[in-house]
Amino acid sequence: MVKYVNGKGVIGSFNKFQLTQTYTTFLILSTYEHNGEKKNMAVTQFEPVDARRCFPCWDEPAFKATFKITLDVPSELIALSNMPIIEEKVNGHLKTVSYQESPIMSTYLVAIVVGLFDYVEDHTTDGVKVRVYCQVGKANQGKFALHVAVKTLDLYKEYFAVPYSLPKLDMIAIPDFAAGAMENYGLVTYRETALLYDDQHSAAANKQRVATVVAHELAHQWFGNLVTMEWWTHLWLNEGFATWVSYLATDSLFPEWKVWNQFLEESNHGLTLDGLAESHPIEVEINHASEVDEIFDAISYRKGASVIRMLQSYLGADCFQKSLAAYIKKHSCSNTKTEDLWAALEEGSGEPVNNLMSSWTKQQGYPVVTVKVKDEKLVFEQSRFLSSGSCGEGQWIVPITLCCGSYDVRKNFLLQTKTESVDIKEFLGCSISKYSGGNDKYCDWIKLNVDQTGFYRVKYDEDLAAKLRNAIEKNHLTPTDRFGILDDAFALSMACQQSVASLLTLMGAYREELDYTVLSNLISISYKLERIAADAVPELLDNLRQFFTNIFQFAAEKLGWDPKPDESHLDAMLRGELLTALALFGHEQTIKEANRRCLAFLDDRSTPVLPPDIRKAAYVAVMQTVNASNRSGYESLLRIYRESDLSQEKTRILSSLASCPDPNIILEVLNFLLSSEVRSQDAVFGLGVNWQARETAWTWLKTKWEEISKIFDSGFLIGRFVSATVSPFASYEKAKEVEEFFASRVKPSMARTLKQSIERVHINSRWVQSVQKETTLPDAIRELAWRRY
Ligand code: BES
Ligand code: ZN
């Protein structure tokens, strides 16, 4: 029974739950094994709009109420809710559990979990009891998350200058869970992969995921739960902010992980999605409940977090923190709009924050800032960046930062108009000869968007770009700036504003790169280029792969296959990504060695030759050798999948299976994803199929559409099926075919994703045509492939 009280009196109560089989509804029926027996657990998931399906209520974030919950459950089970238990009365097979009345809160944060669990427990310095619950027998795997949670609660208490507001915090791993995690007040639910960490079998990347997800959900206990967005239009306040703060907390706990460098990957996803015409503003109009699911996307999370970071770096960390603390204090237990946050920051800083930030949150897209040297002047010009290469509308207030020749020569200003030019000598206090001389000694670089804290792209004139390339080769730039230059060049190339030949030449400047974040981006760019080249210039594919292999071998050889004693977290993550890339680009030695190590692992799951950080790489390598007449590698991976009870291991295998280049095997893999052996939440991991099987995946999607749309119903996962299968195409005919197929099948929860995927196909098509016209590309690729570094 749930009683909800608004202000003075009880305004309603409800006492019947209906268990349902599909997990996209408000009540998840999750299954697990205990002593060889299949068991059920019941878990609520209300955000965004499903509390109304459980009990009658004003189910909008601004209607806050207090909740007094009572449950009748089988007496042998553990029953958790937002608040601590005040009374338990056993009555035969059933017990009645009553919970303390909650403070005032929104309906989407109410939660209940019932099942059999183990737990580990600790306390914050304030004495708040924190527990991590998990399946019976897995309690040890909860210890890392528990440590992170206790430390993070202490940290947020300092940062927000308000203590955690409930008497307890429970965090629980749910085997079937569509989202990554959910911040229910005092009872946070997680996927197993986002909460559990196994010393023996989890990878460094899994550990980092657990830390950032815990930090994200705990940030919501303040930003979201205590102070809640007034309407879904302001969802980004919750999600963008929690994403940003999760980096702050993780960085404070694990500085050696350099997560602020890795944050660039978040920004990058935001920039990529927001480079589409079918993007949406951060503050997006929501008219119907069915539209809410879709805005839990890279705009709300990643662009949201990035514009917060941009603002923090403009205002300064100290002023930013103090203003936030004032905001939390002022709006505790109530609701806010985006303007309320700006008002607090305006008050704290004296800067016109509302004006500055409205251009980023009310308007979709972002600018590309073009910079060139002309007649002793630096000329800046802004226009909307679109991956389609079209000219977009819009103007932003852009916090420009730049460095010149060294990180000691730094300038900042706000670009408020379309164009602005400054006298170099006056602006930088040095002479133009520095920028125009062919002599290396004077050949200094200018880098805009220092440290990549701004949410915009930069396009340099040819001369400035050449100087930056030189600075990269000489290792004069920080990893974040090396990342930014590469990433902007890639985006401009995709928009056909820069040739692929020049992008590849730039990539050659990274041949001695060792930084995790930079290499990781270099790798993902090389995957995308491979796909475009496969359509545009298939005869050059082998040469292109050779070039990429040459670049990645430098770092791969330094790292080797086996972990070094006391090596860094980042090297451990990097090794896996490099070996995966080498395997995918067909590097024979890597594939052979991976197969050898996998065989040893099949014999003995605790062998030291296949530590968790390289397992995915080894699985991918094995799948490169699999085809209809050589299935043994595939069967072996399925065996590991079936025998492991660690979700992270299962996920690793699913995402590796899809890398097989053989379309017949891929068809088997896709069918396996829909089988009872794969939890529905995990099917999406197997969808990123090798580009050689994209046609197979699309045909499969069409054939299985009825089944898929039934399983995934209205949730956000269905959009992933669409984007994963549609986006890899690169022809206008295919875009048309996709449009026709979905004309009668589109659902509100995937409408925007479908449009975005089709736009991506158009962008790819245009890019392919442009690459085919690049007359200098074939020679450039051949030259790069044969160059030995
Ligand atoms: N509030 C969300 C959970 C959510 C997502 C509810 C989508 C309804 C729809 C939660 O705080 C969240 O953001 N979870 C993320 C993980 C996070 C670390 C980025 C998720 O589920 O992916
Ligand atoms: Zn969140």
Side-chain angles (χ1 to χ4, degrees):
M1 176 164 67
V2 181
K3 278 190 184 166
Y4 41 103
V5 184
N6 195 347
K8 291 167 223 94
V10 175
I11 56 174
S13 70
F14 186 71
N15 61 4
K16 232 188 191 127
F17 283 126
Q18 288 242 288
L19 264 186
T20 133
Q21 291 290 337
T22 57
Y23 73 98
T24 46
T25 49
F26 74 89
L27 195 59
I28 305 159
L29 183 66
S30 184
T31 58
Y32 58 101
E33 281 200 6
H34 182 235
N35 295 338
E37 232 184 280
K38 209 166 168 192
K39 300 266 182 191
N40 290 332
M41 67 173 82
V43 185
T44 52
Q45 167 60 41
F46 291 161
E47 191 183 18
V49 290
D50 280 343
R52 67 194 66 173
R53 301 174 69 186
C54 181
F55 51 89
C57 54
W58 299 106
D59 189 20
E60 293 184 1
F63 293 107
K64 289 195 175 188
T66 64
F67 291 83
K68 189 156 174 27
I69 293 175
T70 309
L71 298 176
D72 289 324
V73 296
S75 45
E76 74 281 10
L77 300 183
I78 292 181
L80 303 171
S81 184
N82 307 86
M83 298 298 287
I85 294 173
I86 43 171
E87 191 181 45
E88 250 190 64
K89 273 194 222 148
V90 180
N91 182 8
H93 290 308
L94 286 180
K95 63 179 174 186
T96 301
V97 188
S98 314
Y99 302 85
Q100 256 178 49
E101 185 167 334
S102 78
I104 191 157
M105 61 188 271
S106 303
T107 43
Y108 78 89
L109 294 167
V110 173
I112 286 156
V113 178
V114 184
L116 267 185
F117 307 104
D118 273 351
Y119 66 82
V120 283
E121 177 184 302
D122 200 353
H123 292 85
T124 65
T125 48
D126 272 1
V128 175
K129 186 159 72 178
V130 183
R131 283 183 179 176
V132 173
Y133 284 88
C134 54
Q135 281 183 50
V136 175
K138 290 192 178 179
N140 266 338
Q141 296 178 19
K143 286 183 176 163
F144 176 67
L146 182 66
H147 162 78
V148 172
V150 166
K151 292 267 176 250
T152 305
L153 286 180
D154 284 341
L155 185 100
Y156 289 157
K157 183 192 160 203
E158 285 271 300
Y159 192 78
F160 296 121
V162 174
Y164 175 65
S165 46
L166 302 186
K168 63 95 178 173
L169 170 72
D170 291 326
M171 310 203 295
I172 184 159
I174 309 294
D176 297 86
F177 198 71
M182 175 64 213
E183 70 269 25
N184 312 300
Y185 220 170
L187 176 55
V188 184
T189 42
Y190 294 85
R191 264 186 194 220
E192 290 193 333
T193 49
L195 189 68
L196 303 183
Y197 176 79
D198 181 303
D199 279 338
Q200 291 277 306
H201 296 285
S202 299
N206 299 134
K207 190 173 196 177
Q208 189 176 314
R209 171 80 179 153
V210 169
T212 46
V213 180
V214 169
H216 176 111
E217 302 311 330
L218 299 197
H220 278 315
Q221 306 300 309
W222 283 259
F223 235 91
N225 301 7
L226 186 62
V227 180
T228 313
M229 74 243 147
E230 191 177 87
W231 178 241
W232 298 106
T233 296
H234 306 283
L235 173 75
W236 85 279
L237 275 183
N238 265 15
E239 299 303 350
F241 200 87
T243 302
W244 178 79
V245 179
S246 71
Y247 279 79
L248 192 90
T250 311
D251 185 50
S252 157
L253 261 54
F254 306 101
E256 68 284 8
W257 294 359
K258 298 190 181 143
V259 289
W260 280 118
N261 288 2
Q262 298 185 55
F263 182 84
L264 297 185
E265 229 179 281
E266 301 270 356
S267 302
N268 196 9
H269 281 106
L271 289 162
T272 305
L273 182 55
D274 210 23
L276 299 180
E278 291 290 351
S279 175
H280 63 82
I282 284 184
E283 293 182 62
V284 55
E285 202 177 304
I286 297 290
N287 295 309
H288 191 273
S290 62
E291 295 165 20
V292 186
D293 260 325
E294 259 200 325
I295 59 161
F296 287 85
D297 65 0
I299 299 301
S300 304
Y301 281 74
R302 289 157 157 180
K303 182 181 181 184
S306 305
V307 300
I308 286 167
R309 180 165 193 237
M310 176 163 73
L311 181 62
Q312 189 226 21
S313 113
Y314 179 70
L315 298 178
D318 204 37
C319 159
F320 195 75
Q321 182 265 323
K322 290 199 170 83
S323 313
L324 276 182
Y327 165 86
I328 295 283
K329 189 167 173 212
K330 179 166 177 194
H331 299 287
S332 277
C333 299
S334 64
N335 295 80
T336 53
K337 299 201 251 309
T338 304
E339 276 77 12
D340 296 314
L341 179 62
W342 301 155
L345 288 157
E346 222 166 277
E347 208 174 306
S349 67
E351 294 278 341
V353 176
N354 194 6
N355 193 24
L356 173 70
M357 293 309 288
S358 294
S359 72
W360 297 94
T361 60
K362 290 194 188 298
Q363 176 173 228
Q364 76 181 52
Y366 56 88
V368 49
V369 176
T370 308
V371 52
K372 41 185 164 233
V373 177
K374 201 173 166 212
D375 306 332
E376 314 240 331
K377 286 187 184 314
L378 265 184
V379 185
F380 303 91
E381 189 177 344
Q382 62 158 305
S383 60
R384 175 162 179 207
F385 178 80
L386 282 166
S387 297
S388 63
S390 318
C391 284
E393 297 272 293
Q395 195 168 310
W396 289 260
I397 302 182
V398 192
I400 302 277
T401 51
L402 66 87
C403 270
C404 166
S406 119
Y407 284 96
D408 297 331
V409 184
R410 214 176 247 260
K411 285 279 162 190
N412 304 334
F413 72 99
L414 285 181
L415 177 62
Q416 312 221 32
T417 48
K418 276 262 169 210
T419 62
E420 196 154 315
S421 59
V422 294
D423 187 284
I424 294 185
K425 204 169 168 186
E426 268 173 43
F427 190 59
L428 294 169
C430 49
S431 120
I432 187 72
S433 65
K434 281 197 145 190
Y435 310 100
S436 48
N439 181 339
D440 218 2
K441 193 167 143 208
Y442 294 107
C443 220
D444 267 332
W445 47 269
I446 290 181
K447 168 72 179 52
L448 262 72
N449 198 6
V450 183
D451 231 8
Q452 297 299 118
T453 50
F455 194 76
Y456 55 91
R457 298 220 176 265
V458 182
K459 183 178 181 187
Y460 298 92
D461 72 18
E462 250 176 59
D463 192 38
L464 289 172
K467 282 167 184 156
L468 283 171
R469 204 166 56 233
N470 186 40
I472 290 165
E473 279 173 351
K474 299 220 161 84
N475 204 14
H476 288 167
L477 303 181
T478 58
T480 44
D481 286 332
R482 297 204 295 278
F483 179 106
I485 293 162
L486 176 69
D487 205 50
D488 287 349
F490 173 74
L492 289 164
S493 173
M494 182 192 267
C496 308
Q497 292 182 24
Q498 188 180 310
S499 68
V500 168
S502 72
L503 173 64
L504 294 174
T505 309
L506 174 66
M507 288 172 81
Y510 292 80
R511 60 187 169 263
E512 291 185 4
E513 185 60 64
L514 290 172
D515 180 82
Y516 168 73
T517 311
V518 181
L519 268 169
S520 177
N521 198 29
L522 207 60
I523 290 169
S524 63
I525 286 176
S526 61
Y527 293 154
K528 290 172 197 155
L529 286 173
E530 184 200 31
R531 258 167 258 164
I532 285 300
D535 281 314
V537 282
E539 68 286 3
L540 294 172
L541 208 51
D542 285 343
N543 283 322
L544 193 65
R545 289 172 160 177
Q546 182 62 51
F547 168 53
F548 294 148
T549 305
N550 293 347
I551 297 182
F552 302 137
Q553 254 176 311
F554 179 81
E557 278 169 13
K558 279 215 154 30
L559 291 175
W561 277 84
D562 297 304
K564 310 239 175 355
D566 296 325
E567 76 177 355
S568 72
H569 170 84
L570 292 174
D571 278 351
M573 294 210 294
L574 180 58
R575 175 180 297 111
E577 291 197 21
L578 285 167
L579 293 174
T580 306
L582 288 174
L584 283 170
F585 290 130
H587 186 245
E588 276 178 23
Q589 272 161 285
T590 303
I591 293 176
K592 227 165 123 189
E593 180 63 10
N595 274 282
R596 189 182 74 78
R597 288 176 184 250
C598 259
L599 283 179
F601 183 62
L602 273 169
D603 275 350
D604 170 13
R605 297 299 148 78
S606 55
T607 172
V609 304
L610 202 66
D613 291 309
I614 57 166
R615 268 183 218 164
K616 179 170 171 202
Y619 300 158
V620 165
V622 165
M623 287 309 289
Q624 300 316 296
T625 59
V626 168
N627 55 48
S629 50
N630 176 22
R631 302 170 49 87
S632 68
Y634 175 49
E635 307 287 354
S636 303
L637 294 192
L638 286 181
R639 209 178 100 202
I640 301 172
Y641 179 90
R642 288 175 177 138
E643 287 174 10
S644 172
D645 75 338
L646 184 70
S647 308
Q648 287 150 347
E649 188 70 64
K650 287 186 187 281
T651 307
R652 265 198 289 267
I653 294 196
L654 289 179
S655 54
S656 312
L657 295 179
S659 73
C660 184
D662 185 316
N664 294 317
I665 299 287
I666 290 292
L667 188 58
E668 277 188 49
V669 172
L670 291 170
N671 286 328
F672 177 66
L673 297 179
L674 295 184
S675 75
S676 60
E677 287 191 76
V678 179
R679 295 186 191 268
S680 311
Q681 61 179 23
D682 292 334
V684 289
F685 292 112
L687 291 175
V689 303
N690 188 305
W691 55 269
Q692 300 188 53
R694 65 187 171 180
E695 198 61 58
T696 307
W698 169 236
T699 308
W700 171 82
L701 185 81
K702 287 190 289 186
T703 322
K704 299 278 180 182
W705 183 252
E706 289 304 310
E707 189 182 336
I708 291 168
S709 53
K710 222 191 227 150
I711 300 175
F712 295 92
D713 193 36
S714 60
F716 57 85
L717 286 176
I718 195 154
R720 308 254 178 99
F721 277 79
V722 176
S723 61
T725 34
V726 170
S727 305
F729 285 110
S731 79
Y732 294 109
E733 298 77 54
K734 197 52 95 179
K736 202 153 167 270
E737 188 187 319
V738 172
E739 261 172 316
E740 282 167 9
F741 177 76
F742 281 111
S744 58
R745 294 174 175 89
V746 65
K747 295 160 179 276
S749 61
M750 53 163 262
R752 202 191 292 273
T753 312
L754 175 65
K755 283 188 190 154
Q756 289 164 347
S757 305
I758 293 171
E759 188 181 349
R760 287 204 168 99
V761 180
H762 285 159
I763 290 166
N764 292 343
S765 315
R766 179 170 177 267
W767 197 12
V768 164
Q769 289 180 350
S770 151
V771 171
Q772 284 169 337
K773 287 188 203 127
E774 265 190 50
T775 48
T776 59
L777 187 63
D779 282 346
I781 293 184
R782 281 188 207 110
E783 204 269 316
L784 288 165
W786 291 107
R787 192 187 290 174
R788 287 285 173 264
Y789 295 116

